[in-house]
Amino acid sequence: MASSDKENSLMETIKTVVYALLIAGVFRTLFFQPFWIPSGSMKDTLLIGDFLFVNKMVYGYSKYSCPFSMCPIEGRIFASEPERGDVVVFRHPVNGSDFIKRLVGLPGDVVQMRDGVLYLNGEPVRQESSGQFEETYARQGPSGYFPQCENAPVGEGATCIKSRYTEHLPNGKSHDVLNIRDGFFSDNTPVFTVPQGHYFFMGDNRDNSQDSRYAQANGGAGFVPAENLIGRADRIMFSSAGRSLFYVWTWRADRFFKAVE
């Protein structure tokens, strides 16, 4: 092959790679962002190792829609309001990491937890028992953390149990929440009034979630500004029960294309 042919072939390869990266960047910025669940704060709705795509079109766009927060956008454009009960990925207002939690408080809402029950605007949100959530007490995900258990202490390899309840939000949406312990801070909170332009988020694994019940200075999410919303989690693509996403032999057969509710 002549030198000029080699150079042309190399240039074509470089162009192909650049175009592919540009297309992937546009797709990720405007449409869907991949997200891997690293913690157990949203069990049993989301498990450690779930891999999903976040719908970025649904709430419009802000500077956080681009990688490294590089979008030159003030506030939000093409914005639409999220609904109570949505499972949302947002940018933490202080530490810059991406969190995923359930939206429970809208602007102007009064939110409080009393004895493990969610109160919205002074009214308790109805809960009903839905049995137990069981998992193996073993290290989970790349961090290798053990799950927290209501029946602790349990030995490695034993069954870890949490009480499960179905919570029915005022707009008709329902979802499961888990209980690990009673009387913890997360079960009884101050009264929170959600400021305009902000949202209040909680994890479904109520006793194991750093969310809006905790101040941002303490690692919690606090009140989350509207511009920090990245998108809504709609569907799990696949899920790995192992220490790595790429351990395909540990993928959970029952979670392929599972809707997030």
Side-chain angles (χ1 to χ4, degrees):
M1 182 182 292
S3 176
S4 60
D5 292 337
K6 290 182 179 179
E7 290 176 359
N8 290 336
S9 177
L10 177 60
M11 286 303 299
E12 287 302 317
T13 300
I14 292 173
K15 286 181 182 179
T16 300
V17 171
V18 170
Y19 291 152
L21 291 174
L22 286 174
I23 292 170
V26 170
F27 183 86
R28 183 187 185 280
T29 298
L30 296 181
F31 302 110
F32 297 96
Q33 175 177 321
F35 192 85
W36 186 52
I37 303 300
S39 75
S41 69
M42 283 295 293
K43 291 178 182 178
D44 64 346
T45 304
L46 298 173
L47 304 180
I48 295 175
D50 283 350
F51 182 85
L52 48 87
F53 280 101
V54 177
N55 184 340
K56 302 181 77 170
M57 300 174 285
V58 66
Y59 304 140
Y61 304 96
S62 74
K63 66 180 181 180
Y64 299 110
S65 300
C66 290
F68 311 110
S69 307
M70 292 178 61
C71 283
I73 300 172
E74 291 293 330
R76 300 195 73 83
I77 60 173
F78 309 117
S80 60
E81 292 297 316
E83 295 184 12
R84 196 192 312 275
D86 286 356
V87 177
V88 179
V89 172
F90 58 88
R91 185 65 48 83
H92 190 285
V94 175
N95 67 30
S97 59
D98 289 346
F99 273 31
I100 184 165
K101 307 289 181 186
R102 189 177 299 277
L103 173 59
V104 298
L106 302 174
D109 277 348
V110 177
V111 183
Q112 187 181 24
M113 291 290 291
R114 302 183 201 168
D115 297 325
V117 175
L118 173 63
Y119 279 70
L120 293 174
N121 301 313
E123 297 295 326
V125 174
R126 182 168 64 89
Q127 283 187 358
E128 59 187 17
S129 176
S130 57
Q132 296 177 328
F133 172 70
E134 298 183 358
E135 57 185 335
T136 301
Y137 187 72
R139 296 187 182 278
Q140 299 180 343
S143 298
Y145 294 128
F146 286 98
Q148 297 186 36
C149 312
E150 190 175 14
N151 60 327
V154 298
E156 189 167 358
T159 301
C160 175
I161 296 172
K162 301 173 184 63
S163 296
R164 179 166 52 197
Y165 300 88
T166 300
E167 190 170 75
H168 301 272
L169 295 172
N171 62 348
K173 290 189 175 183
S174 60
H175 57 274
D176 288 342
V177 296
L178 303 181
N179 181 69
I180 299 172
R181 60 185 72 84
D182 295 325
F184 196 53
F185 165 81
S186 55
D187 287 340
N188 293 279
T189 70
V191 175
F192 301 99
T193 301
V194 185
Q196 292 300 315
H198 292 72
Y199 297 95
F200 193 96
F201 291 92
M202 292 174 60
D204 291 347
N205 193 1
R206 289 285 165 80
D207 295 329
N208 187 25
S209 176
Q210 287 285 99
D211 49 41
S212 292
R213 292 169 291 178
Y214 296 83
Q216 295 166 7
N218 296 326
F223 300 124
V224 178
E227 73 170 356
N228 287 55
L229 305 188
I230 293 174
R232 184 182 67 202
D234 289 338
R235 191 168 298 276
I236 299 162
M237 305 309 293
F238 61 89
S239 180
S240 172
R243 299 293 298 275
S244 170
L245 194 67
F246 301 104
Y247 292 175
V248 296
W249 58 90
T250 67
W251 287 6
R252 301 175 175 107
D254 61 337
R255 296 186 74 79
F256 283 103
F257 309 113
K258 180 179 175 65
V260 177
E261 298 176 345

